[in-house]
């Protein structure tokens, strides 16, 4: 019954072509339209709010939510952490999922990245070089993340961008919390520059090989023994 009410409210949003931020009917209106009790409506709305489909603003009403992939990020993160503590290779599994998505897309980018994005990617790789030469001798996660975001931006797929961000958020949150992954910043810089040059040249095969090498390096680092401090 509860699931049925949720589905009917979702159908109402779809059929009415309501965008994010649009106001939904009031609780009494939903009760009358759906033929259910107030408690049933409230429970359904709470469940939909947890999924990001609606947003309940107490004292103001209920609105169509942002429909983001934030719940997916939380689910991925929790599943990976839980799996890690059960002795599973959950972090590696999450990495392989991200690798499958990026490897499947990189060939489509070869020779198609806009000049403005290429210039941004050049600047990001130069920043990686500078970070590798700094006293910290490490490429910052923010720089790495910006590179991958700029790389796929030219595809113009907003949902794809959100999914890649979700994978990135989950992987790096869990990696930071659970595993101190060793890094050779020079290798990181070289691999990102190779990805960029392959895409710039329009060589799809080379681009795919470069992205596979990059993820292969991360996979190897995940399997490296990590020294522990007392």
């Amino acid at each position: 019954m509860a699931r049925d009410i949720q589905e009917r409210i979702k159908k109402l949003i779809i059929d009415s072509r309501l965008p994010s931020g649009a106001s939904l009917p009031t609780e009494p209106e939903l009760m009358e339209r759906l033929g259910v009790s107030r408690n049933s409506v409230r429970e359904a709305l709470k469940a939909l709010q947890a999924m990001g489909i609606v947003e309940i603003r107490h004292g103001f009403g209920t609105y169509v939510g942002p429909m983001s992939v934030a719940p997916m990020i939380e689910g991925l993160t929790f599943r990976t952490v839980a799996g890690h503590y059960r002795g599973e290779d959950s972090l590696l599994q999450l990495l392989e999922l991200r690798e499958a998505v990026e490897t499947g897309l990189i060939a489509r980018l070869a020779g198609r990245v806009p000049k403005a994005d290429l210039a941004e990617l050049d600047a990001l790789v130069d920043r990686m070089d500078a970070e590798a030469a700094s006293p910290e001798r490490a490429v910052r996660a923010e720089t790495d993340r910006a590179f991958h975001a700029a790389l796929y931006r030219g595809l113009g797929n907003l949902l794809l961008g959100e999914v890649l961000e979700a994978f990135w958020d989950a992987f790096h949150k869990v990696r930071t919390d659970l595993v101190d992954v060793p890094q050779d910043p020079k290798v990181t810089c070289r691999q990102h520059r190779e990805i960029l040059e392959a895409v710039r040249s329009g060589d799809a095969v080379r681009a795919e090989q470069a992205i596979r090498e990059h993820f292969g390096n991360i996979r190897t680092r995940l399997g490296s023994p990590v020294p522990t401090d007392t």
Side-chain angles (χ1 to χ4, degrees):
M1 181 66 176
R3 184 62 179 268
D4 177 66
I5 297 172
Q6 293 172 36
E7 292 301 320
R8 291 167 70 186
I9 295 174
K10 286 157 65 176
K11 187 175 186 301
L12 169 65
I13 294 172
I14 294 171
D15 291 346
S16 302
R17 311 292 195 272
L18 297 178
S20 295
S23 177
L24 284 174
T26 63
E27 283 186 2
E29 290 171 339
L30 287 173
M31 291 165 55
E32 182 177 355
R33 181 177 299 198
L34 302 177
V36 296
S37 68
R38 184 183 297 273
N39 283 340
S40 296
V41 168
R42 287 183 174 177
E43 289 303 313
L45 290 176
K46 287 179 182 178
L48 292 174
Q49 179 172 241
M51 292 183 269
I53 294 174
V54 306
E55 180 183 357
I56 302 172
R57 304 176 190 173
H58 295 288
F60 295 93
T62 305
Y63 300 81
V64 179
M67 299 188 225
S68 73
V69 293
M72 185 177 80
I73 296 172
E74 290 298 320
L76 277 172
T77 302
F78 179 79
R79 184 185 186 284
T80 305
V81 172
H84 176 83
Y85 283 111
R86 289 196 301 267
E88 301 170 3
D89 290 331
S90 53
L91 189 57
L92 179 60
Q93 292 171 15
L94 184 57
L95 175 70
E96 289 176 343
L97 181 59
R98 183 180 154 210
E99 178 183 5
V101 173
E102 294 203 31
T103 303
L105 293 170
I106 194 70
R108 294 175 53 192
L109 289 169
R112 295 179 53 193
V113 178
K115 289 184 178 179
D117 290 347
L118 286 173
E120 181 178 348
L121 290 164
D122 278 322
L124 287 167
V125 174
D126 288 342
R127 187 189 303 172
M128 288 182 184
D129 284 332
E131 290 171 354
S134 69
E136 290 78 15
R137 288 184 48 77
V139 174
R140 297 179 63 189
E142 294 82 359
T143 308
D144 194 351
R145 179 178 189 149
F147 178 92
H148 288 265
L151 183 63
Y152 297 102
R153 185 187 302 142
L155 293 176
N157 188 323
L158 296 179
L159 179 59
L160 169 63
E162 285 193 59
V163 170
L164 289 176
E165 286 287 297
F167 290 161
W168 181 277
D169 280 347
F171 178 79
H172 282 273
K173 183 181 189 314
V174 176
R175 189 210 69 178
T176 302
D177 290 347
L178 300 181
V179 183
D180 182 13
V181 181
Q183 177 186 187
D184 184 338
K186 292 182 180 179
V187 172
T188 300
C189 294
R190 177 183 60 77
Q191 290 179 337
H192 283 84
R193 193 173 294 282
E194 174 62 17
I195 294 169
L196 174 56
E197 293 308 319
V199 169
R200 193 200 312 272
S201 68
D203 190 333
V205 174
R206 179 184 169 195
E208 186 173 328
Q209 289 174 340
I211 203 78
R212 286 187 185 280
E213 180 186 354
H214 175 51
F215 278 101
N217 177 53
I218 300 174
R219 189 183 302 108
T220 300
R221 286 158 46 199
L222 279 178
S224 299
V226 180
T228 56
D229 296 327
T230 303

